[in-house]
Every structure is written in C-alpha cells, then in structure tokens.
Amino acid sequence: VSALHRELNLNGQVMYRDVVQTDASINPGNSGGPLLNILGELIGINTAIRADAQNIGFAIPVDQLRDFLPEILDPEKLNHVQLGMRVGNGNPARVTFVREDSPADRAGIKLGDEVSALDGRALSGDIDFYVSMLGKKDGEAVLLALVREGKPVTAKVTLVAIPKPDGKQLAMQRLGLNIVDVKESAAKRFRWTRNGVLVVAVEPKSPADRGDLRPGDLIVSMGPYWIAGVEQVGALLSGVRPGDRVDVGVRRQVQGMLVDDEARLFAR
C-alpha cells in the first residue's frame, strides 16, 4: 500500500473516492479480486489500474465493501423473493426496516428486533443473516429467533415470489437503451467471461445518449453489480426512479483495442 484516501479520476470525472493505492500488480481480469496484506487479511477489492502512472493499482477499502454487502446480498434482488425486512447495525443484527403488508410484517417482525438465529443456526451479525438467506426460494419458510425488549420471540416468515420485471422495457424506459443478452461469440470478442448485455441502439437525447453510450457497447456493470443478462438489468432498474443516478460500466472496442469506461446516467 503506497497511499490511502485517493481519488481515481476517469475521463475528467471522479469515479472512485477514498480508495487504497497499491504498487502490487493489478492486471486486467483482477478486478473484483482481493487485495491482501502479508498476513492474508483482506484489506480491499481490486478495482482499477492507471497504465499512465507506472501501473499503480487501486482497491476499494474493505470497510466500504462491508457497507455495500447487505444491498449486494439482498435476497429480493438475488432470488426474486419478497422478505420485506432489512437488518443492520453489525452484531447483534437488528431489524432496521419492515415493509407494510410484507411477509415479515405478516409474521409479526418489529423494528428494533434483534435477530439471533435463522433456521436454528446462531447468527454472528447482519452480514451473516444475508449470507444465510442465500438460496432461499419462493414458498420457503424461514424460522427466525428474535429478542424483543429482552424477551425471546420466534417468527416464521414465508417467502413470496416477486414478479420478474421486464429488463428490456425498463432499460428503454429509464435510460433510453435497447439491449439484448450477449451471445457467447460476442463475449469472446470482448474477452469477457461475466456475460453482460449488448447495446443494440441508443435513443437520441436520452440519458444513455447524454452519457455517451453507443451501439455495440458491452454493459458489464450497474452500480456495484456485475451484469449477468437482461433479466438482472430489470431487477436493478425496477427500483430506480426519475432522477436517480445509475453508474454503468462498459467495455467497447476503440480502433481495434478493448477499452473499459464508466458512464454516470440519470434515469428519466
């Protein structure tokens, strides 16, 4: 680590703030991988390199990653099942939000409840709660052990499927993008192994047009999420409202070279 609290500018815009600077080699394809110290402890997530500055690398600090994890692991986004509650505050995990008339609300979950166990397994904190929810499906019942005002309480939450939003329709409606799932041959052309979606057309004067997205771009990420396909775009854009900022990572070919870029769009 050669510096802390750096700002990484791309195309004249500040894209990453408060990142860790390292002279350890970070090469294309290492993004998303761990930056470890000599003890093997995670200190950051590799993010970018500056080829014009002796290939110095940058990583998102692990403390920032921890703040993102509840959103990244949200079962409503990952598994398309409605839970209707959020937990936070580290250890112990406490209920910070309950959506009205949701499975959690109907099960009697209250704000401030401490979640001590899930399906009989003790939880070490809020992140452990979300990890334990991975793979839960529609119709599955989750048994929660709670502590409310110092007294033990149990609640059985039955998950309900969330209708899948139309990613193609939402991409056009919110951003002015016509997108399709990328074919394997196109993915190879972009040297990309995480799928993504291909931009077919950009509506003039749309948020995507103002963000300089172009037909032929491969959209690889939205916010902190890697894009697996059009269906995931729909899941991510379903909660976006007019004026909300959407950061879009793209890979494109420029004069025969592959270039990674990021656009800051504002939904309409």
Side-chain angles (χ1 to χ4, degrees):
V1 172
S2 51
L4 300 174
H5 311 299
R6 291 295 309 274
E7 291 187 347
L8 178 59
N9 291 267
L10 298 175
N11 297 329
Q13 298 180 342
V14 176
M15 308 304 294
Y16 299 100
R17 292 182 173 85
D18 199 25
V19 294
V20 175
Q21 179 180 303
T22 176
D23 54 16
S25 296
I26 297 178
N27 298 307
N30 290 156
S31 295
L35 180 67
L36 307 173
N37 65 16
I38 197 170
L39 300 176
E41 298 168 330
L42 178 66
I43 60 174
I45 300 298
N46 297 329
T47 303
I49 59 171
R50 283 289 300 270
D52 58 344
Q54 298 179 334
N55 289 325
I56 58 173
F58 299 91
I60 296 173
V62 67
D63 291 345
Q64 289 186 27
L65 174 66
R66 196 206 175 285
D67 293 338
F68 285 134
L69 278 176
E71 182 180 357
I72 293 173
L73 297 174
D74 184 355
E76 298 195 352
K77 290 188 172 112
L78 286 178
N79 303 336
H80 305 290
V81 291
Q82 187 184 73
L83 177 62
M85 62 181 281
R86 304 280 291 179
V87 302
N89 297 342
N91 186 19
R94 293 189 182 276
V95 177
T96 58
F97 169 77
V98 179
R99 187 182 301 114
E100 186 177 355
D101 198 32
S102 66
D105 186 30
R106 292 191 290 271
I109 306 292
K110 305 295 183 185
L111 281 176
D113 283 351
E114 178 185 320
V115 186
S116 58
L118 189 153
D119 288 340
R121 190 180 74 83
L123 299 176
S124 61
D126 54 348
I127 301 301
D128 195 17
F129 170 82
Y130 286 107
V131 170
S132 298
M133 287 296 299
L134 291 175
K136 300 294 185 182
K137 297 180 174 60
D138 169 35
E140 198 168 342
V142 178
L143 183 63
L144 298 179
L146 310 169
V147 177
R148 181 181 300 159
E149 297 179 353
K151 299 178 180 179
V153 179
T154 59
K156 190 175 185 179
V157 184
T158 301
L159 304 177
V160 178
I162 298 174
K164 293 181 181 179
D166 188 329
K168 193 173 180 69
Q169 182 182 41
L170 282 172
M172 177 55 70
Q173 181 182 349
R174 295 280 185 256
L175 305 176
L177 280 171
N178 185 356
I179 58 173
V180 296
D181 285 322
V182 64
K183 295 181 179 179
E184 185 177 352
S185 58
K188 288 181 179 178
R189 178 161 49 89
F190 283 99
R191 298 178 189 170
W192 190 252
T193 60
R194 297 177 184 266
N195 298 336
V197 295
L198 196 65
V199 177
V200 176
V202 177
E203 181 184 328
K205 299 182 180 179
S206 67
D209 187 29
R210 290 191 289 272
D212 199 30
L213 267 65
R214 316 163 192 169
D217 283 349
L218 180 69
I219 296 179
V220 299
S221 66
M222 281 191 175
Y225 301 97
W226 297 114
I227 296 300
V230 172
E231 183 178 303
Q232 187 184 7
V233 171
L236 293 174
L237 292 181
S238 62
V240 169
R241 298 292 176 260
D244 284 355
R245 173 177 151 184
V246 181
D247 290 331
V248 177
V250 300
R251 177 168 287 191
R252 57 170 60 113
Q253 290 191 337
V254 179
Q255 297 179 346
M257 297 180 61
L258 291 174
V259 176
D260 292 326
D261 202 353
E262 188 163 333
R264 183 177 298 175
L265 313 183
F266 293 90
R268 60 186 180 186

